[in-house]
Each structure stands twice: as structure tokens, then as C-alpha cells.
Amino acid sequence: METMDTDKAAKKAAMKDLRAQRKDLIEAASLQMKKQKKDIKAIEAFLTGRAATIPDIAQGIGLPTDKTLWYIASLKKYGRIVEGSKAGAFFNYALNEPANNTEQEEV
Amino acid sequence: MVSPDIKKFDTLVVGGGIAGLQAALDLGDQGYTVAVVEKDASIGGKMIRLSKVFPTLDCASCITTPKMSAAAHHENITLFTYCDLVSLDTDESANGSGINCRIIQRPRYVDPVKCIGCRQCEYICPVHVPDMEQGGLSAKRAISIPFSNAIPQLPILDIEHCMLCGQCEKVCPTNAIDYFQQPEDMMLSANTAIVTTGFELLPVKTFVQYGNGSIPNVVDALQMERLLAPHGPYNRVIRPSDGMEPDSIAYVQCAGSRDKSHGVPYCSRVCCMYAIKQAMLLSGSLPLADITIYYMDIRAFGKGYEQFYQNAKAMGIEFVKAKVARIDQGDNGSATVRYERQDGSGTASQDHDLVVLSMGVVPGWNPEPICAVSKSTDHFITSIKPKISPVLTSINGVFVAGAAAGPKDIVDTITESGSAAMEAAKFMSNSPRGN
């Protein structure tokens, strides 16, 4: 039991050192993650109860269309969004409901 | 510092693409032990990233995956993926084994023995990063398995984008995440080596006339391969800038090839055929789209290639004999291609929804200063007997195969790999260091 506690403490200290070493990278990654989280939340909120094309989503949430597609492609890959019917030259995208927390990649 | 143990093999294969895998399998099947050193996280090279192959339009993955799997499970083949080759020296002394090489295994931050490839770490990771396996056109997670049929099925943690939030570690059912993993130095020795380091495309960013990579919807041919692949970034062909299905697609041939100003005075050999292949696949997936190929000459040199070209013309693909001078950003995400017709009728311009650049092929690896094998003026590895045995290099016991020796198609690459394996086997059976 004592050995386990010592191991845990040593791991905690090592992680603290590692975080100090990678401080700049961690800060940059955290900022990036927060921005991404906000963008994805906006996309999901926009798509709640409706399907929309990339230009519509982009206009609705104020993101460039290429960045919106970048997110949609990723969300689709991890099963959060599904592709729907065609609207002119574009495709509609909708939330994959019911919300499923255990993400699975599409095959 | 303690010297790492030396792992001994009969043959060292540098590069785990289709050329390296074929050579390794040919030697492994003959009973020789083979080490395959690959810089990427997965074996399979460029071919596993392709959609289909010309002129048969067979699924590239269906040909490559069995070879990848056969190599991974072969009792005589050991794979060293995600490794950098630091040195490759020859030792001609009587007791020397021939080839000595030092490699560094880059850290994956995942224990390869404990990891079961369940991808729980990938699903939980909150950071999205550009997925370069998909040409940067979509995102993946900061910890992820490179692609669905990657071998080995081990995730890589992108340390540049990791917050050390610990979520992947918590969710891992086998405690495989190791944030403290360090690069591992390894020494390999072998009797022979086969260099199969493949090719890269010239980067679009170096071409001011094509917009330096800043014009939306101007992609290179490998990005188009991903757009066409069933496991591509969007699972269909749409424009990266806005998701629109393109109505008009153009191919710009000899983009950088046959152009001394970019150091590629030679013909890249495969661009004509892969552009025709992609155009045929596009006309299948987008039957109403106009597809134009701007070309200087069509070089359909292989068996069945001319018929393939004729079939493409019969399908309605437009071939315009012209040299593209520049590409500008057009309206509504289009790209304006400005070109000079080669029939002397002057210049013209045309807007396209999507433009594909058939970029020049350059060597995938510069042997200097790692290995003293000689290079030609085109920077590809030179053969000392290009006519009668093109796999022989300037170093005794070191052979070359595939696009490492010059641009070539998959058929020629596989043939050459078999030849390199045969030469290596012959060398080992004739040489004292092989016995």
C-alpha cells in the first residue's frame, strides 16, 4: 500500500515537471482547444433541430466556410454529424441524434 | 551512455512502401531475415493513400493492405515504424556483417506492447489537429491512429498539440499511455540493404504562378487521391473551401516537371496516367462535371495505357494541349486558369471550380550524409548498371528499387523490387558475409 502511494506521488511530481517543461506548448494547445470547443458548440447549436449546408452554417455562426467544412468533416468522422440530402450544389449536414457520447468512427 | 544492442538481419530495407514491402516479402519467403525501417507511423507508403490504380482501376488499398498485413505477420520480417535512419555504413572487413545502421525510434507516447488499438484515447481527446493523412483537408485528434488500416494499429500522440489533460490516460483500458516516452536508439546490422525510399511531390507553396498554395480549391494530385478515396476527408468529392460539389474540374499537367527553374528538368512519368485515372474516377462520381486536362504531351507508355487514354477521351474528358502560365483566384471560390494553346492560337483563360496540380516527382529521401550511395544530377539514387541491372548502386551489397531510383509507376516499382530482392539474395549466397 505504501509502495503504491509512493509511486503515485512520484508520478504526480514527474507530471508536474513535465507540465513545467512543456508550459508553452500546453498553453498554446489549451487556447486552441478552447477556440475549437467554442466553434464546435456553435456548430452544434446551429444544427439543433435542423439540417444546413456549409455556407449556411458558416454564415450562421460567423466562421469561414473552409474552417466550417474542416470541423464538419471531423465531426462527421467521429459520428457527431451526418450528411443529409443535397441542396443545389451543396449537401446538408445534421446532428447525429440521439446524442451518443460513445463516439465511433464511421467506416 | 550504454551502447544499444545490435539486432542482426540478412537484409535491411529502408522504406516500407510498396517497393520495400515487396522486396521484404520476396526475401522473407526465401528464408532471409529482413528489417524494414519506415519513417512514417504506418507501413504502406504512398500506395495505401491512393484511391485506385491505373490502368485497371483496381482498389489501391485492396492490393496494398494484404501485402502490409503479410509483412507484419511474416516470421522473417521485423518492422521498425516511426523511425529515423541516422546512419547507414558499410563494413567491408572480413568479420564485418556488411551493413551497419543506426535508427532512432521516435516516441509515440504509447506503449506498443500494452496498446490494443481500441482508439478510446482518440475518441476522448478534446484537441483537433489537421489530418495530414487526408492532405490537411480535415481534422483528427491530437492522439490518433494514422488511418483506419494503418499497420501497426498504434496511436501517435502529437506532443505539440497535447495539453497533458490526462483524459487519454484515464480512458485507456490497458494503461498504455506513456507521457514520458523517450526516443530509442537502435543499432541494426545486415548483410545487404535495399533502399526503397520512394518519392514526394514538389510543394505547391514554392510555385508563385500557381498561387503559392494560397488559392482555395487548388489542390495537388495526392490531395485529390484522398478526395476520391472511400475513406477520404469528406467521403465524396467536394470543394475544400465551401463543400460545393464541383461542376468544372481542371488538371494542370507538368506542374513543375520538365521545368529547369524548379530543378525538375525530367518528366515525372506517372502524372499523365494518374491524371487520366482521376479524371475517369471523377466522371464516374460526378457524371455531369466538365473535366479538362491541360497538357503538353500525353505520355501513355505502359501496357494498356494508350487504350486507357483513348477510353478517357471517349468518356468526354477534354484534353487541351496547352501550357498553363498561371492560376488566379476567381469569383465564388473558382480558380482562373490562364494558358497558352500549343497550336499557336494564342492565350486563353477559363474558370474552374476545382484545379488539380500534377506536381513534379522528387526523391523522398536525400541519402547525404547518412549513406554514401551515389546520386544522379536529378538527385535520385544512381544505378551503376542502368541497362542490365538497374537495382545495383555504387555500394557493394546496397540495392535500390522503386521511385527512390527515379519516378516510376507501381507496375515497374514492384518488378524492380523483385529484382532487388533477387540481387540481394544472389549477393548473400555468393558473398562470404552472407554465409
Side-chain angles (χ1 to χ4, degrees), chain A residues 11 36 65 78 83 86, chain B residues 122 128 169 236 241 245:
Chain A
K11 172 88 190 289
Q36 290 173 347
T65 48
Y78 291 108
E83 189 183 86
K86 218 174 158 191
Chain B
E122 182 174 345
H128 292 72
E169 191 183 30
R236 61 173 65 255
S241 77
E245 206 172 62

Side-chain angles (χ1 to χ4, degrees), chain A residues 6-22:
Chain A
T6 319
D7 286 352
K8 224 173 172 179
K11 172 88 190 289
K12 208 173 167 183
M15 283 301 284
K16 200 177 164 190
D17 287 348
L18 197 61
R19 283 197 177 93
Q21 279 170 34
R22 296 184 190 162

Side-chain angles (χ1 to χ4, degrees), chain A residues 10-11 14-16 18-20 22 25-34 36-37 40 53-55 64-67 69-71 73-78 80 83-84 86 88-91 93 101-107, chain B residues 109 119-120 122-124 126-131 134 136-141 143-146 148 157 159-166 169 177 179-181 231 233-247:
Chain A
K11 172 88 190 289
M15 283 301 284
K16 200 177 164 190
L18 197 61
R19 283 197 177 93
R22 296 184 190 162
L25 290 175
I26 290 171
E27 271 177 19
S30 302
L31 277 175
Q32 185 188 5
M33 188 275 292
K34 280 177 192 161
Q36 290 173 347
K37 210 171 167 182
I40 290 168
T53 63
I54 298 293
T65 48
D66 60 339
K67 194 71 184 169
L69 178 57
W70 191 78
Y71 280 126
S74 174
L75 294 171
K76 187 165 160 262
K77 175 182 173 183
Y78 291 108
R80 298 259 292 275
E83 189 183 86
K86 218 174 158 191
F90 295 91
F91 285 87
Y93 297 93
N101 291 330
T102 51
E103 296 169 351
Q104 296 267 315
E105 186 179 349
E106 279 192 349
V107 178
Chain B
Y109 303 101
R119 304 180 97 152
Q120 292 303 316
E122 182 174 345
Y123 301 142
I124 201 83
V127 185
H128 292 72
V129 295
D131 188 354
Q134 301 284 14
L137 300 173
S138 64
K140 60 172 188 168
R141 304 290 168 84
I143 183 165
S144 57
I145 288 178
S148 52
L157 173 61
I159 208 69
E160 301 271 314
H161 295 97
C162 176
M163 302 187 296
L164 281 178
C165 66
E169 191 183 30
I177 305 294
Y179 297 121
F180 301 96
Q181 209 171 58
H231 290 85
Y234 316 130
N235 306 109
R236 61 173 65 255
V237 181
I238 51 176
R239 292 200 312 194
S241 77
D242 57 5
M244 191 187 99
E245 206 172 62
D247 267 341

Side-chain angles (χ1 to χ4, degrees), chain B residues 173-306:
Chain B
T174 58
N175 296 319
I177 305 294
D178 179 4
Y179 297 121
F180 301 96
Q181 209 171 58
Q182 295 293 318
E184 191 186 344
D185 220 329
M186 285 184 269
M187 296 295 294
L188 311 180
S189 79
N191 301 313
T192 54
I194 302 176
V195 180
T196 56
T197 43
F199 72 94
E200 292 296 336
L201 293 185
L202 280 169
V204 182
K205 284 185 178 174
T206 58
F207 287 80
V208 66
Q209 66 270 43
Y210 304 140
N212 294 110
S214 65
I215 304 174
N217 305 318
V218 176
V219 297
D220 69 30
L222 286 176
Q223 287 177 308
M224 180 49 95
E225 288 290 340
R226 295 314 307 151
L227 287 176
L228 286 162
H231 290 85
Y234 316 130
N235 306 109
R236 61 173 65 255
V237 181
I238 51 176
R239 292 200 312 194
S241 77
D242 57 5
M244 191 187 99
E245 206 172 62
D247 267 341
S248 165
I249 302 159
Y251 279 82
V252 176
Q253 298 305 104
C254 299
S257 299
R258 304 166 73 189
D259 182 349
K260 281 184 187 169
S261 66
H262 285 94
V264 185
Y266 50 86
C267 166
S268 292
R269 295 191 80 205
V270 287
C271 320
C272 289
M273 294 311 295
Y274 73 59
I276 294 170
K277 173 201 76 177
Q278 291 186 357
M280 288 171 91
L281 295 173
L282 281 167
S283 65
S285 58
L286 304 171
L288 299 179
D290 295 324
I291 302 162
T292 309
I293 297 181
Y294 297 97
Y295 72 102
M296 294 204 289
D297 311 285
I298 292 293
R299 297 187 169 180
F301 57 89
K303 187 176 180 179
Y305 291 6
E306 177 62 22

